[in-house]
Amino acid sequence: MTVLSSDSDLRAYPKDPELIVGIVAPIGTPLKYFKHRLSKSLKGRAFTVHAIKLSEFAAKTLSPDENVRELRPFHKYDRLMTLGNELRSRAGRDDVLAMFAAAELSATRPADDPRHFAATAFVVDQLKRPEEVHRFRRVYGEHFVLM
């Protein structure tokens, strides 16, 4: 938690916050309503909201021509887990999906001043590995919230 103790501290604090919300839930948890309410709440506080699905990075990277989202639920989850595990194995790191998300997030920043980010929230759906959580905490610090 950041404590501001003087006016100079307040001036140094970013005026336009960036917020990264990581969602953790068991497979098959119906998150649609939760994500809708979260997005609505963030928008009500003047945030622009972007959704990032970690599993899509594995599907796009290893099987770009396959439409995994059209599979029946059990087969979809099984295929996405298989692709995620395969990508982690190939990369030799368990936080590789978080690295993809961080790269995408960085790419959305203004090119002229990448540290200036107008009230933007990224909802990252879904973190499955402790290494992913650690990577987000390390990269984004207090701007990362785990739900």
Side-chain angles (χ1 to χ4, degrees):
M1 178 201 290
T2 301
V3 177
L4 303 176
S5 58
S6 69
D7 287 342
S8 62
D9 288 344
L10 186 58
R11 283 190 296 276
Y13 198 74
K15 292 179 183 177
D16 300 319
E18 173 181 71
L19 180 64
I20 294 84
V21 180
I23 298 175
V24 176
I27 293 172
T29 302
L31 293 172
K32 187 176 182 178
Y33 179 73
F34 171 76
K35 290 186 292 186
H36 170 75
R37 297 295 302 166
L38 176 62
S39 180
K40 187 174 181 178
S41 178
L42 290 166
K43 288 176 182 176
R45 287 164 179 75
F47 278 90
T48 299
V49 179
H50 299 278
I52 297 176
K53 286 192 74 66
L54 288 186
S55 59
E56 289 184 2
F57 294 115
K60 289 177 189 175
T61 303
L62 299 178
S63 190
D65 297 328
E66 180 181 8
N67 192 348
V68 177
R69 297 283 166 214
E70 289 186 6
L71 296 173
R72 298 181 74 144
F74 173 80
H75 298 291
K76 176 178 73 173
Y77 298 140
D78 184 61
R79 183 68 178 138
L80 290 171
M81 284 190 297
T82 299
L83 290 169
N85 290 337
E86 184 178 340
L87 185 59
R88 288 181 193 96
S89 177
R90 286 187 187 186
R93 53 187 313 151
D94 289 332
D95 65 350
V96 68
L97 294 175
M99 299 293 283
F100 271 99
E104 181 172 303
L105 203 147
S106 181
T108 65
R109 290 189 171 124
D112 58 333
D113 186 3
R115 293 184 314 162
H116 177 81
F117 216 147
T120 304
F122 294 88
V123 178
V124 183
D125 179 18
Q126 292 194 44
L127 286 78
K128 292 294 185 188
R129 309 245 345 145
E131 297 85 359
E132 294 166 346
V133 174
H134 295 304
R135 176 58 53 196
F136 278 106
R137 285 188 174 145
R138 186 170 180 174
V139 172
Y140 300 106
E142 66 185 23
H143 294 273
F144 174 69
V145 178
L146 186 63
M147 299 183 107

